[in-house]
Amino acid sequence: MNITVFGTGYVGLVSGACLAEVGNDVVCVDIDDTKVVQLNQGHIPIYEPGLDELITKNIKAGRLLFTTDFKLGIDHGLFQLVAVGTPPDETGAADIRQVISVAETVATHMNEYKIVVNKSTVPVGTAERVYSHIDKILNERGVDIDFDVVSNPEFLKEGAAIEDFMRPDRIIVGTDNIRTTELLKILYAPFNRSHDRVIAMDTRSAELTKYAANAILATKISFMNELSNIAERTGADIEKVRVGIGSDPRIGYHFIYPGVGYGGSCFPKDLRALDRIAHSVGYDAVLLKSVEAVNAHQKQILFEMLESHFSGEMKGKVIAVWGLAFKPNTDDMREASSVVLMEALWKNGTIVRAYDPKAMNEAHRIYGHRDDLVLCERPEDALDGADALVVLTEWNVFRSPDFNVIKMKLKNPVVFDGRNLYSPPQMKSMGFTYYSIGRAPVHS
């Protein structure tokens, strides 16, 4: 099948590569000339496991092309996938101007039946707005061309996006006619072989489903972090509580790990956008506001622990930080807990020595050169001369480190563990002062 993807960000790249992998002929359109040249040369601007190999393979096979020629893309694809950004505006609402711009461009140049498939995360009612914009331009052109608009939100996890696309839990198709539903089923047939994963609904319900999915996951994270603060103050162990409640199949173990708050490109943005959607229809979404408030507070927890441990004397201290990405298997630092912690440390005159397996270039891009940030080549190097170690991201390389090396390199054997990777009794037996989330600290 001939498919066009507008936008070569995270969703566009993964969607285009995976659709090409199963034999489709895919053209990806972007307005950034430099980016398009780099992509056609196999240079991928983001880190996602397996994505660079998949893109390179399908470029060589002739099934995947990147271009700035939007007319080529419009002429090429029956399916016109819209995967452009919807960043928050000044109120927190999703800005859909890029989505509308793509729709208007398609309407201006289309000469035959097209299916506009919106994969961007957009407010409820956007599909209807897209339809109206296309219909208006076609009327102004004086042409009678049939088209459909579909809401087809993505549910890709950073770090596991290819697996999620190739073996989806569900495929949400929001449309108001049976014909389009059947055509989308054909499009997704290669990813839908063992059983039917397509769930058809109206466009508004599909648009809300995307926000609802991220909101409930974020709510579980914030709820568990709220419990962790109660556990620490009551002498309970949140990890034992987690196992106790997770064994209930109605609750389960997913997304109930205590930590230092969620980040990334989706949860924070989508929670705020959903809150603005509620506000726009006259509803005060109290729970959504609470989820955001708990998350914002949780990102301050480790700095508060550090400040308390050092009796407020943070100036001149050196802190080793393991983990900069908001989660493992990505280089994404958007709204990461590391950003909040490092900026608080710098504000108080502290030097940061940091290491991350994949996010070092991203950290340099964000902060450039500064005297109070040292980006280290190995996790052990970050420990040199540091007054304490802070673990922020649960990369596998941090799960079983050489504690003798840590103890030898640190000025003080103090570890602040934002992901509860280590055992308090074990840390105490090895002579560490150890702080974690929702568990009583232990002292050497």
Side-chain angles (χ1 to χ4, degrees), residues 62 74 118 130 143 171 179 228 240 266 328 330 343 351 387:
I74 295 167
N118 189 18
V130 166
V143 295
I171 301 167
R179 173 185 64 178
S228 73
K240 294 176 180 176
C266 293
T330 182
E343 292 180 359
I351 297 170
D387 293 281

Side-chain angles (χ1 to χ4, degrees), residues 108-383:
T108 301
H109 297 280
M110 62 186 283
N111 294 309
E112 59 184 349
Y113 175 66
K114 301 291 179 183
I115 304 172
V116 178
V117 182
N118 189 18
K119 297 197 73 66
S120 301
T121 303
V122 293
V124 177
T126 298
E128 294 169 9
R129 291 185 60 184
V130 166
Y131 189 96
S132 295
H133 278 268
I134 296 175
D135 189 52
K136 178 174 181 290
I137 290 174
L138 292 177
N139 286 333
E140 290 172 351
R141 288 175 59 194
V143 295
D144 183 16
I145 303 172
D146 197 12
F147 70 95
D148 284 303
V149 177
V150 179
S151 176
N152 176 220
E154 52 82 19
F155 297 94
L156 307 177
K157 299 186 295 292
E158 289 192 47
I162 293 174
E163 177 71 14
D164 286 345
F165 197 101
M166 301 296 280
R167 297 177 178 83
D169 297 318
R170 74 284 206 197
I171 301 167
I172 301 296
V173 174
T175 180
D176 296 320
N177 67 70
I178 296 175
R179 173 185 64 178
T180 317
T181 301
E182 293 305 312
L183 288 169
L184 265 290
K185 285 184 177 181
I186 295 171
L187 173 65
Y188 284 113
F191 315 102
N192 197 32
R193 294 180 67 84
S194 62
H195 63 275
D196 190 3
R197 296 179 175 88
V198 173
I199 303 172
M201 58 184 73
D202 61 278
T203 57
R204 285 178 172 256
S205 296
E207 289 161 344
L208 185 56
T209 296
K210 168 63 176 180
Y211 281 115
N214 281 348
I216 198 165
L217 295 175
T219 300
K220 291 182 74 173
I221 293 170
S222 280
F223 179 76
M224 204 63 191
N225 284 332
E226 189 88 300
L227 279 182
S228 73
N229 293 319
I230 297 171
E232 185 177 342
R233 288 160 176 78
T234 57
D237 183 332
I238 193 61
E239 290 298 328
K240 294 176 180 176
V241 175
R242 177 182 64 81
V243 174
I245 64 175
S247 61
D248 185 333
R250 297 172 300 174
I251 298 171
Y253 291 103
H254 293 297
F255 285 84
I256 62 168
Y257 287 86
V260 285
Y262 57 78
S265 63
C266 293
F267 286 9
K269 173 177 72 73
D270 291 354
L271 261 289
R272 294 171 197 141
L274 183 54
D275 183 42
R276 294 309 302 173
I277 291 170
H279 178 76
S280 71
V281 293
Y283 182 74
D284 184 14
V286 177
L287 178 58
L288 296 180
K289 291 183 175 66
S290 297
V291 169
E292 291 186 82
V294 169
N295 192 59
H297 174 259
Q298 200 69 15
K299 291 182 179 181
Q300 305 287 342
I301 289 289
L302 285 183
F303 178 76
E304 293 172 2
M305 290 182 181
L306 282 159
E307 193 174 40
S308 175
H309 175 82
F310 290 110
S311 302
E313 299 295 325
M314 298 301 298
K315 188 173 184 179
K317 292 288 188 297
V318 178
I319 302 299
V321 173
W322 281 2
L324 298 173
F326 85 95
K327 62 180 282 189
N329 296 320
T330 182
D331 61 353
D332 195 344
M333 289 179 60
R334 284 174 288 185
E335 307 232 18
S337 300
S338 62
V339 172
V340 175
L341 175 63
M342 291 193 297
E343 292 180 359
L345 291 170
W346 293 330
K347 186 177 180 181
N348 285 269
T350 306
I351 297 170
V352 173
R353 296 180 60 84
Y355 171 79
D356 187 283
K358 293 296 178 183
M360 304 295 275
N361 290 337
E362 181 67 1
H364 186 265
R365 184 191 69 81
I366 295 170
Y367 293 113
H369 173 76
R370 45 186 305 159
D371 294 336
D372 49 10
L373 173 61
V374 181
L375 297 174
C376 302
E377 293 185 0
R378 303 183 306 159
E380 297 83 5
D381 297 340
L383 304 169

